[in-house]
Amino acid sequence: MEKEVSFQKVRYDEKRQRILESAGKLFAKKGYEKASLEEIAAKLKLKKGTLYYYIKSKEDMLFQIQMQSLEKVNHLVDEIVKTDMSASEKLVEVIKATVKNSTRAYVIGCINQQEFVFPEKMKKQIIAERRRYHDAFLGIIQQGVKEGVFEEDNWKMRAFGALGAMNWVTRWYSSRGELSPEEIGSAMADFVLKGFGKLYQK
Amino acid sequence: MEKEVSFQKVRYDEKRQRILESAGKLFAKKGYEKASLEEIAAKLKLKKGTLYYYIKSKEDMLFQIQMQSLEKVNHLVDEIVKTDMSASEKLVEVIKATVKNSTRAYVIGCINQQEFVFPEKMKKQIIAERRRYHDAFLGIIQQGVKEGVFEEDNWKMRAFGALGAMNWVTRWYSSRGELSPEEIGSAMADFVLKGFGKLYQK
């Protein structure tokens, strides 16, 4: 009996995930505002009523996708921060992981959506996850400043510049483009490292 | 008679501009999705019906503000490109002008709003203005590559990184922050110039 229940749970979760991924791709294509639940249901050959068995609203889908993506990238960043790599190495790995995470087909149309759209409780959770990322990122920059490889002058502005260079990728990335997310991540990491004045050390 | 008509026109335009600026500030505070025409009218002590004498819809306001901001920055960029400054000097000026333009109180909440929200005709105009900016920006980078001061390797990725560092400012800028838009522009310009490998030349 127990087993059957958990099998149902797995099936439920898989289906829910499939719905989220389909919705996320539609958000990327049409924009969050213009995509409708009817269209998401139609794409999955489901009745709109069935959709509500898995998700509460369009907002809820956007929220779930953003949280999945933020939790995943924060987990990856935690793993990177824990290592004994240098700040430069950590920065390269974090940028590569972030670009790869945020360019995934069902994530890319959701990740830049601002938090205004959410009710207070969801907004707080999103902001807390973003804050975690942000603090870890700034921690790596501070490590680099301490190691003497990143310029101290205006280090916070440089950190924001780096976040921008990286986060902006989702605004221009195309899966049909010449470069893979990995190659884009490497190129951005190189740009950012130079921006931190790493060249002074060579 | 002629004079009176044009006086009315000036008054109309001024009032329309005041409405746009008030709406833009509300978009920045609450997010475009959550701000309503009722609220915009109430802030201006106008009836909602009166608002329609000046603007067609919420969408129309967002469009007008984006276009004003894009046209203004494109005009500034044209002036900078025309000069005989070096690519590095032009890049610094363009970044400073862009940050100053996009952090204006009524612009900042609108500029990052994606074009999905617009009907086809508006979308095309926004994309065309963005394209103009983008092409001018890439032109400066290409000039720098020719001058031998910007690294050729991955120059397009670096250009996108620079656009990201600069465009991301509207996501974290606060008018109550320590640095002015001019100081932020200078810091970003320095970060970006280093990212283009300018240090190799010094």
Side-chain angles (χ1 to χ4, degrees):
Chain A
M1 203 54 185
E2 262 289 272
K3 221 166 186 179
E4 205 171 329
V5 171
S6 80
F7 178 63
Q8 280 180 351
K9 172 87 172 72
V10 167
R11 277 221 317 215
Y12 178 89
D13 288 350
E14 277 176 6
K15 183 131 186 191
R16 190 164 169 277
Q17 189 62 24
R18 224 159 51 233
I19 291 171
L20 289 179
E21 295 186 4
S22 182
K25 284 174 193 165
L26 192 68
F27 295 160
K29 200 176 154 198
K30 299 195 73 172
Y32 171 72
E33 293 87 354
K34 297 233 160 153
S36 72
L37 282 182
E38 284 78 5
E39 224 175 327
I40 293 163
K43 270 185 71 179
L44 289 155
K45 297 190 171 69
L46 293 175
K47 285 187 190 144
K48 195 177 158 192
T50 313
L51 219 53
Y52 285 120
Y53 182 59
Y54 296 94
I55 52 100
K56 284 186 215 120
S57 60
K58 199 169 88 166
E59 228 165 61
D60 181 37
M61 289 196 279
L62 183 69
F63 174 74
Q64 299 296 342
I65 298 169
Q66 285 205 359
M67 284 300 281
Q68 282 186 3
S69 156
L70 283 165
E71 283 168 0
K72 183 169 175 182
V73 79
N74 277 332
H75 174 73
L76 292 169
V77 170
D78 284 346
E79 294 299 308
I80 294 164
V81 167
K82 259 191 248 164
T83 65
D84 58 2
M85 288 192 276
S86 71
S88 304
E89 288 165 331
K90 283 180 187 171
L91 194 58
V92 171
E93 292 310 314
V94 163
I95 292 175
K96 277 159 65 177
T98 305
V99 170
K100 200 171 167 189
N101 180 60
S102 61
T103 51
R104 285 180 297 155
Y106 89 102
V107 169
I108 191 165
C110 302
I111 198 77
N112 272 347
Q113 191 74 36
Q114 288 187 270
E115 63 281 358
F116 291 123
V117 81
F118 297 122
E120 212 48 43
K121 204 182 143 194
M122 288 181 175
K123 200 156 94 179
K124 276 192 185 147
Q125 285 177 260
I126 295 283
I127 290 174
E129 283 299 319
R130 287 203 189 140
R131 170 65 48 194
R132 247 184 84 198
Y133 181 90
H134 189 261
D135 290 350
F137 195 88
L138 261 67
I140 295 173
I141 309 308
Q142 283 174 300
Q143 181 189 336
V145 171
K146 264 187 219 146
E147 285 173 4
V149 288
F150 294 168
E151 239 182 277
E152 192 165 5
D153 182 42
N154 264 329
W155 71 270
K156 237 183 198 168
M157 285 296 105
R158 289 174 208 280
F160 287 171
L163 286 163
M166 185 173 66
N167 290 334
W168 199 247
V169 172
T170 56
R171 290 293 284 266
W172 56 262
Y173 173 76
S174 159
S175 57
R176 294 182 302 268
E178 278 172 47
L179 300 183
S180 68
E182 286 78 6
E183 290 168 318
I184 293 170
S186 295
M188 282 302 146
D190 179 62
F191 173 70
V192 163
L193 277 181
K194 285 201 172 64
F196 276 107
K198 183 149 183 288
L199 285 179
Y200 284 138
Q201 306 305 313
K202 286 207 171 163
Chain B
M1 203 56 184
E2 261 290 270
K3 222 167 185 175
E4 206 171 329
V5 171
S6 79
F7 178 63
Q8 280 180 349
K9 172 87 171 75
V10 167
R11 276 219 317 212
Y12 178 90
D13 287 350
E14 276 175 6
K15 182 128 186 193
R16 191 165 168 277
Q17 189 61 24
R18 223 158 52 230
I19 291 170
L20 290 178
E21 295 186 4
S22 181
K25 284 174 193 166
L26 192 68
F27 295 161
K29 199 175 153 198
K30 299 194 74 173
Y32 171 73
E33 293 86 356
K34 297 233 160 156
S36 72
L37 282 183
E38 284 78 7
E39 223 176 329
I40 293 162
K43 269 184 73 181
L44 289 156
K45 297 190 172 68
L46 293 174
K47 282 183 192 148
K48 196 177 158 191
T50 313
L51 219 53
Y52 286 119
Y53 182 59
Y54 296 93
I55 51 100
K56 283 187 216 121
S57 61
K58 199 169 87 167
E59 228 166 61
D60 181 38
M61 290 196 279
L62 183 68
F63 174 75
Q64 300 295 342
I65 297 169
Q66 286 205 0
M67 283 301 280
Q68 281 185 4
S69 155
L70 284 164
E71 283 168 0
K72 183 170 175 181
V73 80
N74 277 332
H75 174 73
L76 293 169
V77 169
D78 285 346
E79 294 299 309
I80 293 164
V81 167
K82 258 192 247 165
T83 66
D84 58 1
M85 288 191 280
S86 72
S88 304
E89 288 165 332
K90 283 181 187 170
L91 193 59
V92 171
E93 292 309 314
V94 164
I95 292 175
K96 276 159 65 178
T98 305
V99 170
K100 201 172 165 186
N101 181 59
S102 61
T103 50
R104 285 181 297 156
Y106 89 101
V107 169
I108 192 164
C110 302
I111 199 75
N112 272 347
Q113 191 73 36
Q114 287 187 270
E115 63 281 357
F116 290 123
V117 80
F118 297 121
E120 211 49 42
K121 204 182 143 194
M122 289 179 174
K123 201 157 94 179
K124 276 191 185 147
Q125 290 183 65
I126 295 282
I127 290 175
E129 284 297 321
R130 285 202 191 141
R131 172 63 49 193
R132 248 184 84 198
Y133 181 90
H134 189 260
D135 291 349
F137 194 88
L138 262 66
I140 295 173
I141 309 307
Q142 282 173 302
Q143 180 189 336
V145 170
K146 266 186 216 146
E147 286 173 3
V149 289
F150 295 166
E151 236 181 280
E152 191 164 6
D153 182 42
N154 263 329
W155 70 271
K156 236 182 201 172
M157 285 295 106
R158 289 173 209 279
F160 288 171
L163 285 164
M166 186 173 65
N167 290 334
W168 199 248
V169 172
T170 57
R171 290 292 285 267
W172 55 264
Y173 173 77
S174 158
S175 57
R176 293 183 303 267
E178 278 171 45
L179 299 184
S180 69
E182 287 79 4
E183 290 169 317
I184 293 169
S186 295
M188 282 302 147
D190 178 64
F191 173 69
V192 163
L193 277 181
K194 286 202 172 65
F196 275 107
K198 182 146 185 289
L199 286 179
Y200 283 138
Q201 306 304 317
K202 288 207 169 163

